[in-house]
Amino acid sequence: MGAGQTTGKWRAVPWAVLALWIGVLAIVAPFAAKLGDVQRDRPTDYLPVSADSTQVAKIQEQLPGGETTQLVLVYHRDGGLTAADREKAGEQVARIAGEHALAGTPRGVPSRDGTTLMYPVATNEPGADEDERDAFVEEVRDVARGAGGLSVQVGGPSALTTDAAKVYDSLGGPLLYTTVAVVAVLLILIYRSPVLWLVPLAVAGIADYLSMGVAYGLNQAFGTSVSGQSAGIMTILVFGAGTDYALLLVSRYREELRRVERPYDAMRAALRGCGPAVLASSGTVAAGLLCLLAADLNSNRGMGPLGTVGVLCALVAMLTLLPAVLVLLGRRVFWPLVPAYGSTPKARRSLFAAMGGSAGQRPVTVLASGAALLGALALGALALPGSLKQENSFVDKPESVAALQTLARAYPERSSQPIDVITPADRADETLTAIRGTDGVDSARKGRTGNGWTEISVIAEAAPESAGETRTIEELRDRLYGSWVGGPSAQQIDLEKSNARDTLVVVPLVLGSVLLVLIALLRSLVAPLILTAAVVAVWGAALGLGGLVFGPLFGFEGTDPGLGLLSFVFLVALGVDYGIFLMHRMREEALRGAEPVTAALTALRTTGGVIASAGLVLAATFAVLTNMGLVAVVELGFVIAVGVLLDTFLVRTYLVTSASVALGRTVWWPGRLSRAPEQAQSREREPAGA
């Protein structure tokens, strides 16, 4: 039966919703197209505003010529450089100096073993413009080419930034296309329909476009930072969370179509039934993500609003546009498995009924076994590699990293990466003397002066990002009162400190906000505590699995400092989704008078399939991140994907159900459902969304 059977004044509602969305997209389109223009992926765009290294970068932009582009040309021959090699190196550097305004005359520094010659090159020509910086790096690489066994590599801080920007660019189009393809395949398998899968996928695409426009508006209105990482995560959330909401709605809509004659009325019933759960689910995710606004790290703080925008745009689209399109298409959208009015679905042996049966018979045993398994997996977190260094941050080694490694082997006695010190101009000489007298400093020289500041470039004796260089940076910061110490290695130190601080602040906020939403929805204290404890356990187990595979299987030599916090926020906020779907249905059954065991098993039997489907889709969308080129992004995608699968097939199915069966009515304490049956049933029947 099609949309023509929707009678009376309600017939025009789906068309009005469709027209409204067309108008919204027409308004949003010019802004969505500009999101890429405001995306920034410099190291300082990820650092906290208050960090020393951030202040250094800001002041450097104000010095004559703006931000400095720092490169190192590395000439290497295994058997030792020849006179012709050194001559060629000099010619190439002279050509670069002739084509670009360099800061000083580059001087070659030979290695002690005679195999390597490095030329530090700096310019203020591109300034702070990222496109010009990248163009300069590529032009230098075009000039610097080896031949006949001579290896020429272009490295340095700016080359690293350029290579990272290339990877972040892949978080745009390729990430979107891969995500769409993965979701499409899964929806085809889930719905077994040649048409139905297109509807939620198209609506998710529209929601993603809307989120891009809103994100650009936030950037222009409030200065919200937009990075490649946050924009990519926003897209993942739109398709992952949006498809989850669509699966829940379509499943309930199909169920109602068998009981209700007209599609419009069936959709109203479906929205009444699952709407509160979807709203609570999105509210939980949004509340958890917004807690990132309390973070000090710029990248964490910017991800909160963008992730929230993605989830809310997905919510609005799936609760307005998707129902309108489904009603207009009528029952035929489910072809060939059309749910006829008055029909009964074919009885099949349910996997989730069987799983629920074991949980119902031996709830304490199942609960204890599952908890022990999660605890054992969590121990793997002890095997996580140490902090991720810049040279280990790429999945595939780019030229800038190869240059770093060559320098580390050829110059073990000194650093090849400068430490930048910004000091008041009237104290420059005094500061320079103090720097040269600091333990661990190999050399130091004054740079540019302007706007009351002087830049001093410092070379440490220890290798970049080593314990020795870290001690040197910390000592410089202690000794140089009124000065700022920055540079790539200092940025990594500030990154780790800020992540540690953010974890202490954000984690309690996330737990508190999630608990409040769950208490408001379930009207209980015990059930929310169970769900929260479950997702925290899942996070620990997923992180432990990461520790077991990152080094031995993936070959990663470090762990991103922000992995723990970001994976916690996403797994807690997203993982609670499935608990909400299950517990909300359990509460519905209890309100209808079902006994605790019956309510729990019925909820699992009726929602198990859709939760499993939703979990697979969400895990698959985050798994797309494991195909990206940055180790930090791969690690985050892996932990979240594995955590969602554990949550879907172990925690929701067995542990939450077992806990609910074991506790009985206590799970709803102190709400009315925790009381005796006659007391609970004496009240008027609440609607499904109560």
Side-chain angles (χ1 to χ4, degrees):
M1 298 182 184
Q5 289 180 296
T6 303
T7 59
K9 62 180 181 179
W10 303 114
R11 178 178 296 177
V13 171
W15 289 107
V17 171
L18 194 60
L20 178 63
W21 269 95
I22 292 173
V24 168
L25 291 177
I27 296 172
V28 167
F31 304 106
K34 295 180 180 179
L35 184 62
D37 297 338
V38 298
Q39 180 177 311
R40 297 290 180 267
D41 290 303
R42 297 172 302 174
T44 50
D45 294 316
Y46 287 76
L47 291 167
V49 176
S50 58
D52 271 29
S53 52
T54 308
Q55 301 305 314
V56 167
K58 287 183 176 181
I59 295 173
Q60 283 177 328
E61 292 177 5
Q62 301 168 11
L63 293 175
E67 185 178 0
T68 301
T69 299
Q70 298 175 328
L71 302 178
V72 179
L73 278 71
V74 184
Y75 296 87
H76 175 82
R77 186 184 289 272
D78 288 336
L81 293 171
T82 65
D85 292 337
R86 287 188 286 271
E87 182 180 352
K88 182 172 184 178
E91 290 173 355
Q92 289 184 348
V93 172
R95 179 181 168 187
I96 294 169
E99 294 177 356
H100 301 278
L102 301 184
T105 303
R107 291 182 297 177
V109 181
S111 64
R112 290 179 179 177
D113 61 7
T115 62
T116 309
L117 178 65
M118 72 169 176
Y119 275 94
V121 173
T123 180
N124 306 113
E125 192 176 81
D129 187 280
E130 294 182 31
D131 293 334
E132 292 183 11
R133 177 207 63 209
D134 295 342
F136 172 74
V137 172
E138 295 304 327
E139 287 172 13
V140 170
R141 284 175 169 169
D142 288 340
V143 173
R145 290 287 178 263
L150 175 65
S151 166
V152 186
Q153 298 163 331
V154 178
S158 297
L160 273 170
T161 303
T162 294
D163 289 337
K166 291 179 182 178
V167 179
Y168 281 119
D169 287 342
S170 72
L171 293 178
L175 177 66
L176 175 61
Y177 306 144
T178 307
T179 303
V180 170
V182 168
V183 173
V185 170
L186 288 174
L187 287 177
I188 291 172
L189 294 175
I190 291 168
Y191 286 138
R192 291 175 292 168
S193 167
V195 179
L196 181 58
W197 66 275
L198 280 168
V199 180
L201 188 64
V203 173
I206 291 171
D208 184 49
Y209 199 65
L210 174 64
S211 70
M212 293 169 63
V214 176
Y216 176 80
L218 286 178
N219 173 270
Q220 296 299 297
F222 304 105
T224 303
S225 62
V226 179
S227 66
Q229 186 183 48
S230 61
I233 293 293
M234 182 177 73
T235 293
I236 290 290
L237 283 172
V238 170
F239 280 91
T243 306
D244 278 7
Y245 304 151
L247 286 167
L248 190 66
L249 177 64
V250 171
S251 175
R252 192 63 176 257
Y253 178 50
R254 188 200 297 265
E255 190 179 319
E256 296 297 339
L257 282 172
R258 299 183 188 278
R259 294 198 290 260
V260 181
E261 183 177 2
R262 295 184 173 88
Y264 180 85
D265 296 329
M267 182 57 74
R268 290 182 63 190
L271 287 171
R272 282 198 304 269
C274 69
V278 172
L279 286 170
S281 169
S282 60
T284 303
V285 178
L289 290 174
L290 284 177
C291 291
L292 286 171
L293 286 172
D296 188 39
L297 201 63
N298 213 17
S299 56
N300 288 345
R301 191 169 62 251
M303 193 175 293
L306 260 66
T308 302
V309 164
V311 169
L312 294 183
C313 286
L315 171 72
V316 172
M318 295 305 170
L319 290 188
T320 58
L321 181 58
L322 178 63
V325 174
L326 288 174
V327 168
L328 290 172
L329 292 174
R331 296 176 187 272
R332 59 183 176 271
V333 74
F334 289 94
W335 184 87
L337 304 175
V338 179
Y341 172 57
S343 65
T344 302
K346 183 179 178 181
R348 293 184 298 175
R349 179 172 174 77
S350 170
L351 170 65
F352 293 97
M355 297 169 81
S358 62
Q361 293 170 9
R362 296 176 296 277
V364 176
T365 302
V366 171
L367 186 60
S369 301
L373 175 60
L374 291 177
L377 290 175
L379 292 176
L382 299 174
L384 283 168
S387 185
L388 189 66
K389 296 182 179 180
Q390 283 186 317
E391 64 185 81
N392 300 324
S393 60
F394 298 88
V395 175
D396 297 317
K397 184 170 64 178
E399 183 178 343
S400 56
V401 170
L404 267 178
Q405 294 174 342
T406 300
L407 290 170
R409 290 191 299 267
Y411 302 87
E413 75 285 353
R414 60 167 286 165
S415 175
S416 58
Q417 187 165 269
I419 300 169
D420 300 324
V421 175
I422 295 294
T423 190
D426 58 357
R427 299 214 317 258
D429 292 334
E430 176 187 341
T431 302
L432 185 61
T433 300
I435 291 172
R436 288 172 174 168
T438 302
D439 290 339
V441 171
D442 179 79
S443 62
R445 61 181 178 84
K446 287 194 292 186
R448 298 169 294 167
T449 297
N451 295 321
W453 298 98
T454 293
E455 179 184 51
I456 299 176
S457 182
V458 182
I459 298 296
E461 294 175 351
E465 297 183 60
S466 64
E469 189 196 41
T470 298
R471 285 194 298 270
T472 301
I473 292 172
E474 296 290 2
E475 188 168 349
L476 286 172
R477 286 178 168 174
D478 290 339
R479 294 188 65 180
L480 305 179
Y481 180 76
S483 301
W484 305 99
V485 180
S489 296
Q491 291 169 2
Q492 290 298 107
I493 294 171
D494 292 336
L495 190 68
E496 291 180 30
K497 289 182 177 179
S498 294
N499 268 308
R501 176 264 176 199
D502 288 351
T503 300
L504 293 175
V505 173
V506 174
V507 165
L509 289 176
V510 172
L511 290 175
S513 62
V514 167
L515 271 173
L516 288 176
V517 174
L518 290 175
I519 290 170
L521 174 72
L522 300 176
R523 303 179 190 180
S524 162
L525 289 178
V526 177
L529 287 173
I530 291 174
L531 294 180
T532 305
V535 292
V536 171
V538 164
W539 168 73
L543 209 58
L545 281 170
L548 296 176
V549 303
F550 286 163
L553 187 61
F554 293 171
F556 295 161
E557 298 182 34
T559 304
D560 179 58
L563 176 64
L565 175 61
L566 291 179
S567 60
F568 179 87
V569 171
F570 283 110
L571 280 177
V572 170
L574 293 170
V576 167
D577 272 15
Y578 305 131
I580 288 175
F581 297 161
L582 180 66
M583 281 288 192
H584 186 263
R585 188 59 180 258
M586 198 182 300
R587 189 169 188 274
E588 280 190 65
E589 298 300 325
L591 287 171
R592 295 189 179 107
E595 290 298 315
V597 175
T598 303
L601 299 184
T602 301
L604 179 60
R605 185 181 66 253
T606 55
T607 65
V610 69
I611 288 178
S613 301
L616 283 172
V617 171
L618 188 62
T621 54
F622 274 98
V624 170
L625 293 176
T626 62
N627 196 39
M628 299 296 109
L630 287 175
V631 170
V633 176
V634 174
E635 290 177 341
L636 182 64
F638 176 86
V639 170
I640 296 177
V642 167
V644 169
L645 292 177
L646 283 173
D647 195 56
T648 303
F649 294 101
L650 174 62
V651 173
R652 298 298 148 230
T653 306
Y654 281 115
L655 303 192
V656 172
T657 303
S658 297
S660 301
V661 171
L663 291 172
R665 298 188 184 280
T666 307
V667 78
W668 303 113
W669 184 87
R672 293 185 178 182
L673 291 176
S674 65
R675 301 171 189 170
E678 58 273 11
Q679 292 176 309
Q681 294 176 10
S682 64
R683 61 186 303 232
E684 293 183 4
R685 288 288 178 88
E686 295 186 29

